[in-house]
Amino acid sequence: MAVLLPVGTRKGLFLLRSDDARKDWELEGPLLPGWPVYHAIVDPRDGVLYAATNSFIYGGTVHRSDDLGRNWERAEEIGLPEESGLKLNATWHVEPGKDSELWLGGDPGVLFRSDDGGITWDVNRGLLEHPTREKWQPGAGGMCCHSIQIVDETMYIAISAAGAFRSDDGGDTWTPINKDVAADFHPEKYPEVGQCVHKLLVHPARPDRLWQQNHCGVYRSDDRGDNWERLDGNGLPSDFGFGLALDAGDPDVAYVIPEVSGEQHFTPDDRLGVYRTGDAGASWQLTAKGLPERAWAAVLREGFAYDEGGLYFGTQSGSVWSAPRGGGEWIEAVRNLPPILSVEAAHV
Amino acid sequence: MAVVLLPGTLAAEAGGQKRFELRAATVGEALRQLPVANLLFDEAGELRRLVNVYVDGVDARGGRLLDEPLTGDSEVRIVGAVAGG
């Protein structure tokens, strides 16, 4: 079985393929040339390739391909109801759900559901009409709903800068889950909502455990987001970053790629470094064998992925790096792509 | 029949077709018949801000835009806003 990385860039979509060794990579693309691809996945249920595509001129949409990029269909109108007074600014994240459900996160802090493979999309009213919406603020990338995690009957989303939310009723209602998560830029340091989550992941084998890389720290929750523990320090050079990856077989392992600060979006210490914890965030170690020691790189929130065999991330300077699960040497799978917006891992 | 010409990105979204011959009384009527209409208009039905339309070489934003009348030999050209160097 081949490993396939859909790599979204500012100028189109690229596909990287390798075998299980993950040492030699073949590049295909650009697909959808000219379209910034904020996120792309291969749906493990049916192999359909989806891309959240956004044009500066023609707006945000979703493209789908049944044949891994040879032919594409575009979604019908994706929009917000007139009475909301809102307009869709961008599409951000595509996530498979239960049965045939497909979910799409977007800006301004909105969520859509499709039941026909991404052709038509219905807005999620529970989030659109959330009673705290007036307290939400856009982050530097807009008010993007960028994280969607679905475990059994529970859904989690995260919005920058509205915070994280949980739904136990299929998306009808959403409970803020931001207790003890800092919002240093906010008049109230620990508000109910308004936190700037950069990425939120649920551990696939321990679904009560959530991790998030936030504008203001790295956090872990062991009770579905009801309580959060801050984990930065103890080896992390910065509390700021975007990308986050886990280890499917070990819930105590997580990886982050710190950046200097909210004002300086590049890696600290004049190098490119991935930091790993193996003790649930109590300590962090640099894992950088093979990564450049003179670098000022940036990895965006969708730019870090993992599967059962490896870790993968893409930089805004156009390199994709791969390492075997658990550490080992990083390999530059490709360089000189356009600025990378997203990396995901699939198997075909 | 009026002729509508698409730029490259939109033509790719229209199956590679760059030129459309349409029966339409106005610019708006012509654009809404295109298979890429949902890229030209937002959810409120408004022409996206950075989509420019030229009718026989004249910027329709300086005229009646979507209500600009077309004749049988009008040429409508869609041009995405250009910025930068």
Side-chain angles (χ1 to χ4, degrees):
Chain A
M1 181 169 280
V3 181
L4 173 68
L5 307 183
V7 178
T9 80
R10 204 165 287 289
K11 305 295 182 182
L13 177 67
F14 293 82
L15 301 179
L16 277 171
R17 288 182 174 84
S18 187
D19 56 20
D20 287 341
R22 296 167 171 82
K23 289 188 174 174
D24 298 311
W25 293 89
E26 291 181 6
L27 178 68
E28 179 186 352
L31 309 172
L32 300 169
W35 283 92
V37 177
Y38 283 25
H39 184 230
I41 62 163
V42 176
D43 192 330
R45 299 171 298 187
D46 54 14
V48 175
L49 174 59
Y50 292 98
T53 39
N54 293 279
S55 165
F56 185 58
I57 299 170
Y58 305 115
T61 186
V62 172
H63 284 79
R64 58 160 284 152
S65 173
D66 292 323
D67 51 16
L68 290 180
R70 282 189 289 279
N71 296 282
W72 292 93
E73 284 180 273
R74 190 180 67 255
E76 294 175 8
E77 185 69 57
I78 307 174
L80 301 172
E82 188 175 357
E83 68 271 16
S84 71
L86 301 171
K87 286 187 177 179
L88 181 68
N89 297 319
T91 57
W92 268 88
H93 184 98
V94 183
E95 186 72 25
K98 289 189 305 177
D99 304 325
S100 62
E101 286 175 1
L102 194 64
W103 294 86
L104 171 68
D107 176 349
V110 288
L111 186 66
F112 298 89
R113 173 179 152 174
S114 174
D115 290 297
D116 59 5
I119 298 300
T120 63
W121 295 90
D122 294 320
V123 71
N124 178 275
R125 291 276 178 175
L127 191 63
L128 181 71
E129 298 162 1
H130 199 275
T132 66
R133 175 171 281 274
E134 65 179 25
K135 299 177 182 174
W136 305 357
Q137 299 285 338
M143 198 156 75
C144 46
C145 178
H146 50 70
S147 295
I148 305 170
Q149 298 279 277
I150 301 164
V151 182
D152 299 326
E153 301 303 313
T154 304
M155 295 181 68
Y156 302 90
I157 59 161
I159 298 169
S160 176
F165 298 81
R166 184 181 70 219
S167 176
D168 294 309
D169 55 13
D172 288 345
T173 60
W174 294 91
T175 303
I177 48 170
N178 302 298
K179 186 182 172 196
D180 295 330
V181 177
D184 293 336
F185 47 84
H186 197 277
E188 183 185 351
K189 189 173 178 183
Y190 295 100
E192 179 192 21
V193 296
Q195 282 81 354
C196 190
V197 187
H198 286 176
K199 195 67 198 170
L200 181 144
L201 294 175
V202 176
H203 194 276
R206 184 172 165 179
D208 288 353
R209 173 164 283 185
L210 280 59
W211 294 80
Q212 68 167 282
Q213 170 69 69
N214 192 288
H215 192 105
C216 307
V218 179
Y219 297 83
R220 191 195 78 246
S221 170
D222 289 338
D223 56 7
R224 307 193 317 140
D226 286 337
N227 295 279
W228 291 91
E229 180 182 352
R230 190 165 181 169
L231 304 168
D232 42 289
N234 296 321
L236 275 185
S238 164
D239 60 0
F240 187 90
F242 288 92
L244 173 67
L246 306 180
D247 184 309
D250 188 343
D252 288 340
V253 171
Y255 299 87
V256 294
I257 305 175
E259 297 182 5
V260 174
S261 69
E263 291 75 36
Q264 299 176 46
H265 288 203
F266 54 84
T267 49
D269 302 327
D270 301 338
R271 65 162 308 132
L272 176 52
V274 177
Y275 286 77
R276 175 185 187 273
T277 179
D279 52 15
S283 65
W284 298 86
Q285 295 80 39
L286 175 66
T287 61
K289 187 177 179 186
L291 294 176
E293 294 186 11
R294 294 275 291 166
W296 297 263
V299 177
L300 297 179
R301 70 179 86 246
E302 299 283 19
F304 200 2
Y306 72 99
D307 62 13
E308 73 282 355
L311 293 157
Y312 319 94
F313 71 86
T315 68
Q316 288 210 64
S317 38
S319 292
V320 175
W321 293 89
S322 164
R325 178 188 167 204
E329 185 164 1
W330 289 92
I331 293 169
E332 191 175 30
V334 64
R335 66 175 66 171
N336 296 327
L337 295 184
I340 292 170
L341 307 180
S342 71
V343 176
E344 284 284 1
H347 301 90
V348 294
Chain B
M1 301 279 272
V3 172
V4 180
L5 301 173
L6 303 187
T9 300
L10 289 183
E13 293 296 318
Q17 189 174 341
K18 293 181 176 176
R19 187 177 190 275
F20 289 79
E21 292 187 9
L22 303 167
R23 198 176 303 280
T26 64
V27 166
E29 204 177 304
L31 299 191
R32 289 193 177 92
Q33 292 181 52
L34 294 170
V36 292
N38 67 348
L39 299 176
L40 301 174
F41 297 95
D42 66 18
E43 61 261 65
E46 295 171 3
L47 190 66
R48 295 186 189 276
R49 189 171 56 89
L50 298 178
V51 174
N52 295 321
V53 181
Y54 291 82
V55 179
D56 297 326
V58 177
D59 185 354
R61 287 192 185 275
R64 295 160 66 183
L65 191 53
L66 297 178
D67 293 329
E68 193 72 30
L70 299 180
T71 63
D73 57 359
S74 294
E75 181 190 87
V76 179
R77 187 180 291 272
I78 298 170
V79 179
V82 179

